[in-house]
């Protein structure tokens, strides 16, 4: 990780892709959640709530074009919000297409990435 100045003079973070991969692998290992042949799917809700310690709202009232959102408030646990419409369509519908379930999982994983990489801010 390194800091650099953005075009507006603000401080920004830069991670090399190998560094991101290492950070995520290390956290999955610490959480006992590394996928394996016997357990190929990571329990993302458990990883977020129990390992990362986030407050998870899977039914957030977000704008239609916002799938997920991560909020950091000083002195509090990070809060991950997932769009209620996405959760309803992907998780609550037993016949949801795998692509939609994958989108939900990718959204939650993406937001977990914000917690892992941006907490230093």
């Amino acid at each position: 990780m390194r800091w650099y100045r953005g075009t507006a003079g603000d401080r920004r973070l830069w991670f090399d892709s190998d560094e991101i991969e290492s950070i995520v692998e290390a956290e999955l290992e610490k959480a006992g959640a590394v996928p394996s042949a016997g357990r190929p799917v990571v329990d993302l809700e458990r990883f977020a709530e129990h390992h990362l310690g986030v407050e998870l709202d899977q039914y957030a009232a977000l704008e239609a074009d916002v799938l997920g959102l991560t909020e950091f408030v000083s002195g509090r646990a990070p809060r991950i919000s997932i769009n209620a419409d996405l959760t309803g369509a992907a998780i609550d519908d037993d016949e949801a297409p795998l692509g939609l379930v994958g989108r939900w999982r990718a959204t939650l994983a993406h937001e977990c990435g914000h917690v892992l990489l941006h907490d230093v801010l």
Side-chain angles (χ1 to χ4, degrees):
M1 175 188 81
R2 67 180 171 85
W3 292 94
Y4 70 97
R5 291 251 176 245
T7 55
D10 54 330
R11 288 181 44 175
R12 295 183 178 202
L13 287 173
W14 176 263
F15 292 93
D16 289 324
S17 58
D18 291 349
E19 191 176 8
I20 294 170
E21 192 74 24
S22 295
I23 290 167
V24 172
E25 283 180 13
E27 289 301 320
L28 287 171
E29 202 166 298
K30 283 186 215 173
V34 175
S36 65
R39 194 183 67 197
V41 178
V42 173
D43 182 342
L44 291 170
E45 295 108 312
R46 182 171 179 74
F47 179 74
E49 292 177 317
H50 295 278
H51 181 71
L52 297 179
V54 305
E55 182 182 324
L56 178 60
D57 179 1
Q58 298 180 58
Y59 295 91
L62 300 176
E63 306 240 352
D65 62 340
V66 178
L67 299 179
L69 177 72
T70 300
E71 298 172 280
F72 295 94
V73 177
S74 184
R76 295 187 51 208
R79 178 180 175 85
I80 292 177
S81 299
I82 304 296
N83 189 304
D85 292 336
L86 177 59
T87 300
I91 303 303
D92 296 340
D93 182 353
D94 292 335
E95 297 180 21
L98 288 179
L100 195 55
V101 174
R103 176 170 283 181
W104 183 89
R105 290 182 51 75
T107 300
L108 180 52
H110 176 92
E111 298 307 323
C112 287
H114 285 299
V115 173
L116 288 171
L117 301 174
H118 300 160
D119 196 42
V120 297
L121 298 174

